[in-house]
Amino acid sequence: MFEITKETMVSEILEKCPEAMPKFQELGMHCLGCALATAETLQQACEAHGVDVDEFIIELKAFIIFGV
């Protein structure tokens, strides 16, 4: 798995790990195909949706690796 940080682009995560999309949608990030989403870092996306980026990274990595 590649390194996911606060600065990782949302589009890069979804390109490399498309199976992660449900985790984003769970948080209300439904417009993942829109132009703004493709230019956002993970931190920017989390801030826009009122999500703690550090917690989300932990949950996202667990979801990608273990499916939970």
Side-chain angles (χ1 to χ4, degrees), residues 11-32:
S11 58
E12 181 183 5
I13 296 169
L14 295 175
E15 180 182 310
K16 293 182 178 180
C17 302
E19 68 275 12
M21 188 170 290
K23 195 65 182 171
F24 285 92
Q25 291 172 328
E26 192 179 287
L27 297 174
M29 298 180 193
H30 298 288
C31 62
L32 295 171

Side-chain angles (χ1 to χ4, degrees), residues 7 49 63-64:
E7 291 77 34
H49 291 87
F63 185 82
I64 292 169

Side-chain angles (χ1 to χ4, degrees), residues 1 19 58-68:
M1 184 172 89
E19 68 275 12
I58 292 167
E59 292 175 17
L60 181 61
K61 287 179 179 180
F63 185 82
I64 292 169
I65 294 170
F66 302 112
V68 293

